[in-house]
């Protein structure tokens, strides 16, 4: 059975990031998609690459041997993927996609170690220093995070009391946990509610009791085509800004630049100096505020005003 999507993406990110040379598609299939049929592999690999790219990860296609152009491979150039070393609180430090999947938890450190060990055992030439740019940037401080994450990894059913907004009482929920995602500054549990017999999304900060595991491990299977982010967008939608305008310091903000509809170079920045570019995004990604905050003083959000006010409010809270 193919690995869950979040696990595939993490392993693919690590594999392509630590490669000193491009790695062939057949080798990627052998190591990361061993149980997939050729046609299924092609579809999953293309979707996974597109998802990484949509999160600002520069997946590069290059010749494996400079003397021959008949075979191409894939890698992530560390210098293009590097993010500035900014230390922020969890509320300000979520990077769209990357920080949604990487946090300071021993379980994720173990997952990274296992992935690198698999590559090394296969005889691939890996560069472990490349992982320094993908080191955890945000903590998950909600009490429910650790037991939910353990249940996701073990595929163990859980139960907890949940406080829905605008309701005075909590309700006991019984869930098959599929995955955890951070978006718009908050952590969400995605899973199958066995009482309602439907997929549901739960905000971790609304879990009002201890999370208790119920039954044995490996008690359920996550549907193979599950897209956690798509589920959140569908069941817990957040209106997205139709257009965003940012000032980005030259040489920074590559994830914004790759998605830009227009870039106006050499404009005056907030420090009244040149060396800034105006970047226009026609369809900003969910979590734009978190992404802006992660870049610190190198990115300034001008529009929309509602999201700019949210950025200012979070920074004032940190300064206070």
């Amino acid at each position: 059975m193919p690995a869950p999507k979040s696990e595939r993406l993490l392993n693919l990110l690590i594999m392509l990031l630590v490669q000193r040379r491009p790695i062939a598609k057949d080798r990627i299939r052998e190591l990361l998609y061993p149980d997939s049929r050729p046609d299924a592999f092609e579809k999953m690999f293309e979707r996974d690459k597109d998802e990484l790219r949509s999160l600002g990860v520069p997946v590069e296609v290059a010749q494996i041997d400079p003397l021959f152009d008949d075979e191409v491979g894939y890698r992530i150039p560390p210098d293009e993927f590097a993010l500035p070393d900014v230390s922020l609180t969890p509320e300000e430090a979520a990077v769209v996609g990357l920080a949604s999947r990487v946090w300071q938890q021993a379980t994720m450190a173990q997952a990274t170690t296992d992935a690198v060990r698999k590559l090394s055992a296969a005889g691939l030439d890996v560069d472990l220093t490349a992982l320094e740019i993908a080191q955890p940037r945000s903590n998950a401080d909600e009490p429910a995070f650790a037991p939910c994450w353990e249940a996701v990894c073990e595929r163990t059913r859980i139960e907890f009391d949940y406080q829905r907004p605008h309701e005075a009482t909590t309700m006991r929920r019984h869930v098959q946990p599929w995955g955890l995602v951070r978006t718009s500054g908050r952590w969400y549990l995605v899973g199958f509610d066995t009482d309602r017999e439907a997929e549901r999304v739960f905000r971790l900060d609304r879990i009002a009791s201890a999370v208790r595991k119920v039954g044995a491990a490996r008690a359920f299977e996550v549907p193979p085509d599950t897209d956690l982010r798509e589920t959140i967008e569908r069941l817990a939608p957040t209106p997205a800004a139709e257009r965003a305008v940012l000032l980005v310091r030259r040489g920074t903000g590559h994830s914004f630049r790759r998605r830009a509809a227009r870039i106006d170079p050499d404009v005056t920045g907030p420090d009244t100096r040149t060396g800034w570019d105006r970047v226009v995004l026609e369809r900003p990604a969910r979590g734009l505020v978190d992404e802006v905050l992660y870049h610190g003083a190198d990115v300034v959000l001008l529009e929309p005003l509602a999201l700019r006010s949210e950025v200012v409010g979070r920074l004032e809270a940190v300064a206070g």
Side-chain angles (χ1 to χ4, degrees):
M1 174 182 174
K5 183 175 182 181
S6 57
E7 180 181 338
R8 290 201 321 267
L9 288 173
L10 179 61
N11 286 335
L12 182 60
L13 171 65
I14 294 170
M15 167 177 277
L16 299 183
L17 184 59
V18 301
Q19 294 306 306
R20 297 183 186 274
R21 293 182 297 274
I23 182 170
K25 184 187 293 187
D26 289 345
R27 191 63 165 148
I28 294 174
R29 179 189 174 195
E30 178 185 346
L31 292 170
L32 298 187
Y33 306 77
D35 300 325
S36 61
R37 302 186 312 274
D39 57 335
F41 161 70
E42 291 290 340
K43 293 179 181 179
M44 283 192 294
F45 183 53
E46 290 302 316
R47 285 199 302 263
D48 290 350
K49 279 193 302 164
D50 289 343
E51 174 130 358
L52 288 178
R53 285 169 172 157
S54 73
L55 298 173
V57 179
V59 179
E60 178 184 85
V61 181
Q63 296 176 11
I64 294 178
D65 189 329
L67 300 179
F68 302 94
D69 59 1
D70 58 343
E71 186 177 13
V72 298
Y74 302 86
R75 70 186 292 266
I76 298 172
D79 55 339
E80 294 186 22
F81 185 56
L83 296 170
D85 186 14
V86 179
S87 178
L88 298 174
T89 65
E91 284 297 316
E92 290 77 37
V95 182
V96 172
L98 180 61
S100 302
R101 295 175 172 84
V102 183
W103 49 85
Q104 284 184 338
Q105 294 287 334
T107 48
M108 287 303 292
Q110 184 63 47
T112 302
T113 300
D114 291 344
V116 172
R117 184 183 298 117
K118 180 185 296 185
L119 297 177
S120 301
L124 296 178
D125 183 16
V126 299
D127 178 13
L128 298 184
T129 61
L131 290 176
E132 294 176 1
I133 63 175
Q135 61 185 328
R137 302 285 183 177
S138 61
N139 290 312
D141 54 359
E142 288 88 352
F145 181 91
C148 285
W149 175 248
E150 291 175 5
V152 167
C153 295
E154 299 170 359
R155 297 204 304 275
T156 305
R157 295 185 179 92
I158 55 176
E159 64 178 15
F160 51 83
D161 294 334
Y162 192 70
Q163 179 78 58
R164 297 184 62 184
H166 312 302
E167 292 188 2
T169 59
T170 62
M171 295 184 64
R172 174 64 57 162
R173 314 302 285 265
H174 300 85
V175 179
Q176 296 176 357
W178 291 351
L180 290 160
V181 175
R182 185 177 176 90
T183 182
S184 299
R186 301 187 185 279
W187 284 101
Y188 291 83
L189 169 70
V190 180
F192 186 81
D193 189 319
T194 56
D195 295 321
R196 290 156 182 78
E197 297 187 347
E199 56 187 358
R200 288 290 186 268
V201 173
F202 305 93
R203 256 177 54 177
L204 290 196
D205 60 351
R206 290 180 179 159
I207 293 179
S209 69
V211 176
R212 191 173 74 88
K213 298 179 185 178
V214 179
R218 303 190 178 278
F220 61 90
E221 296 291 341
V222 179
D225 294 329
T226 298
D227 185 329
L228 300 180
R229 287 191 169 277
E230 184 277 331
T231 303
I232 289 179
E233 292 286 351
R234 177 162 40 86
L235 299 181
T238 296
E242 290 300 318
R243 182 174 181 271
V245 180
L246 309 98
L247 293 179
V248 181
R249 197 187 304 273
R250 187 180 303 155
T252 68
H254 300 294
S255 62
F256 295 117
R257 296 175 187 275
R258 281 188 286 271
R259 308 196 307 268
R262 190 179 81 246
I263 299 178
D264 302 323
D266 298 323
V267 301
T268 302
D271 54 4
T272 69
R273 299 178 182 178
T274 57
W276 293 74
D277 300 329
R278 189 191 313 275
V279 176
V280 178
L281 305 177
E282 291 297 343
R283 296 191 64 81
R286 182 186 179 107
L288 178 64
V289 169
D290 297 317
E291 191 175 6
V292 169
L293 286 166
Y294 180 84
H295 285 80
D298 290 328
V299 175
V300 177
L301 179 62
L302 300 180
E303 300 176 14
L305 294 180
L307 295 186
R308 177 180 170 83
S309 297
E310 184 175 345
V311 171
V312 172
R314 292 200 194 179
L315 290 175
E316 288 177 344
V318 174

